[in-house]
Amino acid sequence: MQISAAPVIYILIFVAVIVIVNGIYLVTFGKSIRLNNRLSRRMSLLEGNSNREQVLEQLRKELNQHLNAKNIPLYSVLAKKAQHANIAFSPNALIGIMGLLSVIAFALLTLFTSGAMVMRLVLGLVMGIGGVYVWVGRLAKKRTSLLEEQLPDSVELMVRSLRVGHPFVTAVGIVAKEVPDPLGTEFGVISDEAAYGRDITEALKAFAERMDNQDLRFLAVAVTIQQQSGGNLAEILDGLAKVIRARFKLFRRVNAITAEAKWSGRFLSFFPIGALVMILLAKPDYYDAVQETNAFIPAALFVAVFLALNMIFMKIMTNIKV
């Protein structure tokens, strides 16, 4: 049994597709789109365009465009993650990039592999679309994690602003200036919308629903109750910040406790694949005596199905909900 280099080539081409789409994104929108940039995207846009209304309109379009495009076939699967990642590409542009990457993947497959035309077309399409899905999923996970980490500090900054006498809208504006993305731009949009007449509680609720974040819902509810019933908003938000920070610590503690089980599950899932690769590297003709028998293909499919089920159940067992 000869070891084929095709799987390695396929993996490298798929990685290249993800690198290309990330490079296109950074070249198109520059450093302002980076989550680790100390200056938020809103502040970067305001430096280049002093018209606050135009910047607000552009950011609002970016924040809502993906959920508004859920009716596009096949795009509904990607829309929610693209919204959480706040991809600045429009849905049409993202679909066009999928097509471009599919063509690039097909060209690379044609150049480096000798598979059938139909197989290369299908693999090129899968790599082009799948690469964008993986890239968007990684950005969404990174952005939501960073947002959850920034939120308690941002609420505490609002508390300090309220205690020195600033109104709540001004406190939100201070957070927008002092906190980097993703919360910097998000709160900046809320502050600008409030300045142009939108009720700030409605803007907070829309933000919470768009990000599907429970802590943001708590913040929106707290501000709404205070506006309707009165009370010391600084004390309410101070207590909310402590609750959010305690929940965040609890999640981190659960992740630390379950880390061993998760890595054990990953090891048990991928060990058979690693063992197969090592056997083929050490003795390529190990399966030559049985691969021509009638039972070889059914047995291989049987093992593959149970290996996939093992991975699924390991994922379920180690994914603890809090």
Side-chain angles (χ1 to χ4, degrees), residues 58-180:
Q58 178 181 348
L59 291 175
R60 289 184 66 183
K61 181 181 177 181
E62 292 178 0
L63 292 174
N64 297 298
Q65 59 185 349
H66 297 287
L67 287 182
N68 294 336
K70 288 191 298 183
N71 295 328
I72 299 177
L74 298 179
Y75 194 78
S76 58
V77 182
L78 182 65
K80 190 172 182 180
K81 285 188 177 182
Q83 196 67 60
H84 288 175
N86 193 28
I87 301 298
F89 283 133
S90 67
N92 292 332
L94 206 54
I95 293 173
I97 289 173
M98 289 181 185
L100 175 64
L101 293 176
S102 298
V103 173
I104 293 174
F106 173 75
L108 292 175
L109 289 169
T110 303
L111 186 62
F112 294 106
T113 63
S114 57
M117 174 68 73
V118 176
M119 180 180 179
R120 282 183 277 125
L121 283 172
V122 173
L123 282 176
L125 193 61
V126 170
M127 287 183 178
I129 297 175
V132 174
Y133 271 63
V134 171
W135 173 71
V136 170
R138 290 178 64 246
L139 280 184
K141 184 177 181 180
K142 180 180 179 181
R143 188 171 185 268
T144 52
S145 298
L146 187 56
L147 186 146
E148 291 171 355
E149 189 172 345
Q150 288 180 323
L151 187 56
D153 292 333
S154 300
V155 175
E156 288 177 351
L157 179 57
M158 284 189 279
V159 170
R160 291 194 293 270
S161 301
L162 291 170
R163 284 175 174 168
V164 297
H166 292 299
F168 181 68
V169 176
T170 304
V172 173
I174 292 173
V175 172
K177 292 179 181 178
E178 299 295 331
V179 177

Side-chain angles (χ1 to χ4, degrees), residues 45 64 67 210 312:
L45 292 175
N64 297 298
L67 287 182
R210 187 174 69 248
I312 294 171

